[in-house]
Amino acid sequence: MEALALERKAEQNRELRERLMQLKKERNAIILAHYYQRDEIQEVADFRGDSFLLAQKAAETDADVIVFCGVHFMGESAKILAPNKTVIIPDERAGCPMADMVNVDGLRKLKAQHPNAKVVTYINSSAEIKAETDICCTSANAVRVVNSVDSDEIIWVPDKNLGHYVQQKTDKKMIIWEGYCNTHDMLTVKDVEEMKAKYPNAQFVVHPECRPEVVELGDFVGSTTAIIKYCKESDCQEFIVGTEDGTGYQLRLDSPNKTFHFATKYLVCPNMKVNNLKKLVKCLETMQPQIYVPEDVASKARLSLERMLQVK
């Protein structure tokens, strides 16, 4: 029975992929998928990447339609950078709890309390927050962005763990918002120590969205893209991975002979995983749900994203 079900699923996926290719041609569409998406989505994507790479691809593409397989704020960033394109996402319920932890009123109050500070916002935030921001950053370029800002005082939103990591690498005074990523923040020192005892030859690679005491245990600390690159280039053959489990797809693709253990089975972002192949095909058929960002918000948010793209 199980074999039959798997065969049927494989056949269904084949049909969905064929339909997808046909729709992509008809719509002149490009599919962007975040590294945390399900394998079946990463397999059919034109580009896989982290928020930063995908934001760049959205800004550069000649396609008329951008299908963004990620969470809502990523679709917004694509729409802000490519306002004349149609941006659709497979499921509009794909939100980001961390992005929801910061609100415009709270940020405005903080700005009023620190009038000389510049606001640096992690890209994992809503368009409204980006519109209140001097410059955006990603985990890949956060340190470079903070150090590029012409102010000694930084208001940092919304991720306190990444903020703490950046704080170690800059002389600037950072006022850090208390948000966090539910998925990365779950990883504990106990989890990592147990895995290290179980796999003594493995290196621990960790995302700076994890708690500071967990990040301290890392043999390598970096963004999702940096972790993938490090594992590919490293002589080490075995890794304990401290980031979302969707990353496994690219890690295994790049390094088929290496072994990857995720630091806990709970490193799964439920919001990233709501997208699937069926929803991806359906959104291209119906051209819904579309991402809209009001122009007054988009024009301010665009400045903060464009400034980020200029930081070398």
Side-chain angles (χ1 to χ4, degrees):
M1 276 299 281
E2 197 178 319
L4 194 65
L6 284 171
E7 206 176 302
R8 197 169 292 153
K9 171 92 171 128
E11 179 57 35
Q12 194 183 21
N13 278 357
R14 250 195 316 276
E15 287 168 9
L16 285 168
R17 281 196 292 268
E18 278 172 24
R19 177 76 179 123
L20 186 65
M21 292 309 144
Q22 183 192 348
L23 285 163
K24 263 177 61 179
K25 271 201 192 107
E26 284 172 17
R27 309 273 196 224
N28 186 22
I30 186 175
I31 297 169
L32 305 180
H34 193 275
Y35 284 134
Y36 298 170
Q37 292 290 293
R38 294 168 186 263
D39 289 7
E40 65 190 50
I41 286 197
Q42 294 197 52
E43 276 167 13
V44 297
D46 296 296
F47 292 100
R48 294 183 295 277
D50 58 12
S51 325
F52 183 58
L53 177 87
L54 297 178
Q56 283 180 307
K57 291 294 172 200
E60 292 162 7
T61 182
D62 294 333
D64 297 319
V65 176
I66 298 169
V67 188
F68 212 116
C69 301
V71 291
H72 199 271
F73 74 77
M74 295 178 182
E76 283 186 337
S77 293
K79 183 66 180 175
I80 290 162
L81 288 169
N84 302 326
K85 313 276 184 199
T86 301
V87 179
I88 51 177
I89 55 174
D91 191 326
E92 62 191 338
R93 293 171 307 162
C96 172
M98 173 166 62
D100 296 339
M101 287 179 193
V102 56
N103 58 70
V104 170
D105 287 348
L107 180 53
R108 282 180 181 161
K109 272 186 197 141
L110 206 52
K111 283 163 76 171
Q113 286 163 11
H114 302 275
N116 298 322
K118 289 282 170 72
V119 181
V120 177
T121 294
Y122 190 26
I123 199 166
N124 299 28
S125 56
S126 69
E128 286 79 14
I129 294 296
K130 289 183 177 80
E132 293 288 328
T133 294
D134 293 294
I135 188 168
C136 284
C137 73
T138 67
S139 52
N141 65 10
V143 175
R144 283 202 307 280
V145 166
V146 164
N147 285 328
S148 78
V149 172
D150 62 343
S151 169
D152 295 332
E153 211 177 354
I154 303 289
I155 292 170
W156 170 275
V157 293
D159 183 2
K160 64 179 179 181
N161 292 335
L162 181 57
H164 182 275
Y165 175 74
V166 174
Q167 177 76 86
Q168 313 303 304
K169 300 189 178 295
T170 183
D171 297 331
K172 295 177 187 288
K173 182 190 177 207
M174 288 179 63
I175 300 127
I176 297 173
W177 192 272
E178 280 293 301
Y180 57 90
C181 164
N182 292 35
T183 302
H184 285 101
D185 196 65
M186 268 185 193
L187 186 58
T188 65
V189 167
K190 185 169 175 282
D191 294 328
V192 178
E193 284 173 348
E194 281 172 6
M195 290 299 274
K196 283 190 163 199
K198 199 170 172 185
Y199 305 107
N201 298 324
Q203 283 195 344
F204 176 46
V205 292
V206 61
H207 196 288
E209 280 182 27
C210 291
R211 300 175 187 189
E213 63 271 23
V214 170
V215 171
E216 269 176 33
L217 301 173
D219 296 296
F220 177 80
V221 183
S223 67
T224 311
T225 302
I227 286 173
I228 291 166
K229 183 173 186 282
Y230 177 80
C231 292
K232 185 182 179 178
E233 293 171 359
S234 170
D235 295 334
C236 186
Q237 294 302 301
E238 192 178 14
F239 299 90
I240 297 160
V241 183
T243 190
E244 211 274 349
D245 84 335
T247 313
Y249 177 82
Q250 191 69 44
L251 286 168
R252 290 185 290 269
L253 200 65
D254 285 351
S255 310
N257 302 320
K258 295 182 181 180
T259 309
F260 299 97
H261 314 283
F262 279 81
T264 159
K265 64 180 183 193
Y266 301 114
L267 283 167
V268 179
C269 171
N271 291 280
M272 284 284 188
K273 300 295 194 263
V274 300
N275 296 326
N276 60 33
L277 203 50
K278 204 180 266 184
K279 289 178 186 172
L280 174 51
V281 170
K282 191 178 177 208
C283 81
L284 261 174
E285 281 177 340
T286 61
M287 294 298 284
Q288 294 294 333
Q290 280 193 37
I291 297 277
Y292 296 102
V293 181
E295 186 43 42
D296 57 330
V297 172
S299 58
K300 288 182 193 162
R302 190 172 301 121
L303 276 174
S304 65
L305 284 166
E306 282 171 352
R307 285 183 193 129
M308 169 185 83
L309 293 173
Q310 283 158 13
V311 174
K312 292 287 175 269

